[in-house]
Amino acid sequence: MNSSQRSNRYFSTEFKMKKVKEIETGRSRISDICKEYEVSYTSVYRWLKKYGRPKEKNERIIVESKSDTQLIMNLRSKISELEQ
C-alpha cells in the first residue's frame, strides 16, 4: 500500500502503550512494529518518547530545599567575613 492509498489511521493510547512496553522489554523491535502495522518510524519514536520510560541521561538533578539554600548562603557569608 503506498501513501496515496493509505487513509489516516488512529491507534488507541492503550495500543501505543502496549507496543512501547513490548519494545522496552525486548519482545518486539521498532522495525517489526513498523512493518506489521504499516506505521512510520517517526510515529513509533514519538510513542516511545511520550509513553516510554525516561532514558537515563548524563544529567544530574539537584534538589535543595529552601532551608538548605539559605544555610549555604549563610555559611558562604561567614566564610567571606572570616577571610577578611
Side-chain angles (χ1 to χ4, degrees), residues 69-79:
T69 306
Q70 188 65 36
L71 177 66
I72 291 170
M73 290 173 57
N74 289 341
L75 290 173
R76 285 183 180 162
S77 67
K78 286 182 183 181
I79 289 171

Side-chain angles (χ1 to χ4, degrees), residues 2 26-27 29 37 40 42 44 48-49 56 62 71 77 84:
N2 63 31
R27 290 186 288 159
R29 294 183 316 181
Y37 298 102
S40 69
T42 306
V44 176
L48 284 167
K49 185 176 181 179
E56 291 184 21
I62 299 172
L71 177 66
S77 67
Q84 293 176 357

Side-chain angles (χ1 to χ4, degrees), residues 53-64:
R53 290 187 302 242
K55 302 288 183 208
E56 291 184 21
K57 298 178 182 175
N58 293 332
E59 297 176 1
R60 293 187 307 170
I61 299 174
I62 299 172
V63 179
E64 292 183 21

Side-chain angles (χ1 to χ4, degrees), residues 17-73:
M17 291 173 70
K18 181 179 174 186
K19 296 306 166 189
V20 165
K21 188 174 182 180
E22 287 178 13
I23 292 168
E24 290 179 338
T25 58
R27 290 186 288 159
S28 295
R29 294 183 316 181
I30 294 172
S31 59
D32 296 337
I33 291 173
C34 291
K35 289 176 188 174
E36 184 175 348
Y37 298 102
E38 295 182 0
V39 180
S40 69
Y41 282 91
T42 306
S43 295
V44 176
Y45 279 108
R46 281 189 197 134
W47 298 352
L48 284 167
K49 185 176 181 179
K50 187 171 183 179
Y51 303 111
R53 290 187 302 242
K55 302 288 183 208
E56 291 184 21
K57 298 178 182 175
N58 293 332
E59 297 176 1
R60 293 187 307 170
I61 299 174
I62 299 172
V63 179
E64 292 183 21
S65 65
K66 190 172 184 176
S67 61
D68 289 343
T69 306
Q70 188 65 36
L71 177 66
I72 291 170
M73 290 173 57

